[in-house]
Amino acid sequence: MKNYLSSMVIFSFIFMSCNSAAQISTADKKIDAKVDSVLKLMTLDEKIGQMVLYTSGWDVTGPTLKSDYIDDIRNGKCGNIFNAHTVEYVRKLQKIAVEESRLGIPLLFGYDVIHGHKTIFPISLGESASWDLKAIEKSARIAATEAAASGLNWTFAPMVDISVEPRWGRVSEGAGEDPFLGSQIAAARVRGFQGNNLADTTTVLACVKHFAAYGAPLAGRDYNTVDMSQRVFLDVYLPPYKSAIDAGALSVMSSFNEFDGVPATGNRYLLTEILRNQLGFKGFVVSDYTSVNEMVHHGVVANEEEAALLAIKAGLDMDMQGEVYAKYLKKLIEKGLIDEKTIDQSVRRILSVKFKLGLFDDPYRYCNEAREKRTIYAPEHLEAAFDVAKRSMVLLKNENNILPLKKGEKIAVIGELANSKRDLLGSWKAAGDWNFIKSILDELKEYNGEKNVLYAEGCKKMGDDRTGFAQAMATARRADKIVMVIGEDAEWTGEAASRSNINIPGVQTELLEQLKTLNKPIVVVLMNGRPLVLAEENKLADAILEAWFPGTMGGKAVTHVLFGEYNPSGKLTMTFPLNLGQVPIFYYEKNTGRPIYLGNDKYKSKYLDSPNDPLFPFGFGLSYTTFEYSDITLSTNELQQDGNIRASVTVTNTGKRDGEEVVQCYVRDLVGSVTRPVKELKGFEKIFLKAGESKKVSFTITPDLLSFHRQDMTYGTEPGDFKMFIGGNSRDVKETSFKLIN
Ligand code: BGC
């Protein structure tokens, strides 16, 4: 009882001082003073407790090591929890922290709200294919609103890892292969999650992950070694992290992989030199799930105590789930291997964020049942999810304009995925509930009438059971057109979901081959989380619609796109290879000394058994209308160091339908002190054009946009000749040239 009372006294002291200080100002300086006043009251154990993050055990992505986290919260030994949500549960845990621990410091509640919390949006890779920053920001805004209404205050997103590795399952969580587009999307997502004010009850703290270069595992195998030059890291992989931090993200997650031989979680170059000293990051760094412990397996430390030492010295502030900080930081101080000041610095960063979230003013600010009830699945959230899902879809083929379908046409719908609700949500579905939603089949029936939609599963998405083929054939015979929904199981994408081949799994393609013998138009709808090898399917299908895992409203979105209620406007943000042997394949490759176009003899950079070109290039996507591009006009063809060039094209909608086009601008630096990519995206704009309408689209190119790490590793431009390309994808472009003057 005595302890309890004394803790209540201190608890009130913190709250009184915080409340009064909050009235004066919310500026950083004031927050620093408040943080100091709390820090002074803390024992070393309590400080270390703030550096600890445990899962509540609801959802885990690794082994659950800790079951007595509730006692740890009570004893001030755990300052942060993840995988706990709903107001009821969060309130219960927060109450223990605030009312039963000695100092009453509120908990952070984290969760993987990657593409929606309850209302699930398309997987992030799909959203990126919309090239629509406003829509992407809105999606993150809604995800934050729902998460915050469920008691959460921290999302482990955005994932901003650039990747050119479709074998890696986690490409589904990112924005694709391009650093320029990836940077803009990273910033849009941070703005969406954090809003203008972290203390607003509809915003959550963003966590930029996975720092760094996690998207480049060798052979696409998750958690595998990363080995890249510093130049590639700085020019290609770093920009989206930088952009997210510039947009105000106040937490960063270290990655599982090694970087230049040292695991990211213990890598001082990454966590301190780059992140703090160069990018000016002011928030805190959390490890990934047990990534501190895993440094033992990496073989850079002999035991977990050494792992704790390496991590804290590198600049890691919080240990996710590993219990390494909890067990060893105190010992390391006692042994004189680290100074308590190092601990104070990390605790300061963490507390400062808790103050910014307003948790010291009201630790239950995210715990309001009425708000939870009216926010989750709000009609406007579902409407936005429907909108983004439509915008994300990419029309890859449409021979003889067999799409859009016409209302009343008799269609045979084939495939397990057509009738799957679970898969619509994709991986990292947070608290998304598939029981609540409608499948593609449900929506097609609703739109086109039960009698016009015949269904046969045909086969499962996995396995080799062909017993349903006959029924599928019989069903297809009775229809005018066939719509086959094929792809991957949602669980085959995301974390720990690497694949050694990226074909359509199981016997789905075999069934497609049989259906082809019926000589009826075939539409393939794809549900998948990565670029796939689609050479066979591309031969068999008349039309292909890439729908990704489109989320809660995905069934309706697919239906509306198929029937032309929405004219598809998405463009690929990762190259789709022709075959697996081409991987890694991406549009910003280097020219090499023996580029294939120099001649067709053997000694060129090419394959003996395959073209170099992908099946679908970066930026590619069709529409139900067509667009024509004029030649490029430049405001000048000499770019001065303090000037800019305006590059313009006129785009005309030459078809019969209104539509949107993503106009893309690329450049090539022809000669550099180091080799330069054959194309780099430097601008894009998504425009709407009525049938027959023309619009002028202009891009401004500044020297800043042409900067890179030169041979001596300084960052800047080099004068000389450049090419500029503008078009509707990275392959089919208009071309001109300009000079950068010294
Ligand atoms: C993943 C992270 C995720 C964390 C917490 C890890 O396994 O790599 O992306 O945020 O688990 O769920």
Side-chain angles (χ1 to χ4, degrees), residues 60-62 82-83 112 114 156 170 173 209-210 214 223 253 256 288-289 320 428 495:
V60 285
T61 47
F82 68 120
N83 294 332
D112 289 282
I114 310 292
F156 301 140
R170 304 202 76 168
E173 299 169 46
K209 71 187 191 186
H210 307 81
Y214 181 41
Y223 319 124
M253 188 184 294
F256 287 123
D288 203 345
Y289 204 109
M320 184 197 289
W428 294 115
E495 187 175 354

Side-chain angles (χ1 to χ4, degrees), residues 25 174 234 268 278 314 326 366 403 418 455 486 555 611:
S25 159
L234 295 177
R268 195 171 162 83
Q278 290 191 30
Y366 299 94
L403 286 178
Y455 177 67
I486 58 176

Side-chain angles (χ1 to χ4, degrees), residues 401-414:
N401 293 321
I402 70 151
L403 286 178
L405 301 173
K406 284 164 211 69
K407 208 166 182 163
E409 268 183 326
K410 202 172 264 292
I411 55 171
V413 179
I414 313 288

Side-chain angles (χ1 to χ4, degrees), residues 165-281:
E165 249 310 343
R167 289 172 290 186
W168 189 52
R170 304 202 76 168
V171 296
S172 62
E173 299 169 46
E177 71 189 40
D178 185 64
F180 181 84
L181 177 64
S183 296
Q184 308 227 10
I185 290 178
R189 290 198 166 125
V190 170
R191 287 195 302 270
F193 289 131
Q194 295 197 166
N196 295 327
N197 177 9
L198 217 46
D200 192 296
T201 49
T202 65
T203 60
V204 294
L205 168 68
C207 183
V208 183
K209 71 187 191 186
H210 307 81
F211 198 71
Y214 181 41
L218 286 177
R221 209 178 69 219
D222 208 0
Y223 319 124
N224 201 9
T225 308
V226 167
D227 189 8
M228 71 171 59
S229 71
Q230 197 192 17
R231 188 183 310 284
V232 167
F233 172 60
L234 295 177
D235 282 342
V236 179
Y237 286 76
L238 189 63
Y241 303 109
K242 176 179 184 325
S243 170
I245 288 159
D246 289 347
L250 281 178
S251 74
V252 163
M253 188 184 294
S254 72
S255 54
F256 287 123
N257 57 282
E258 70 174 64
F259 184 85
D260 197 17
V262 182
T265 298
N267 193 314
R268 195 171 162 83
Y269 166 75
L270 289 181
L271 301 190
T272 297
E273 278 176 44
I274 295 284
L275 190 60
R276 302 253 171 225
N277 302 349
Q278 290 191 30
L279 303 189
F281 176 61

Side-chain angles (χ1 to χ4, degrees), residues 127 155 168 260 381 455 477 515 546 567 582:
E127 277 194 354
T155 175
W168 189 52
D260 197 17
H381 296 179
Y455 177 67
R477 271 192 196 98
L515 292 167
E546 174 57 85
N567 187 354
Q582 293 180 328

Side-chain angles (χ1 to χ4, degrees), residues 50 95 144 165 324 409 437 496 559 689:
Q50 289 301 307
K95 223 167 168 298
E165 249 310 343
V324 177
E409 268 183 326
I437 67 179
T559 303
L689 288 175

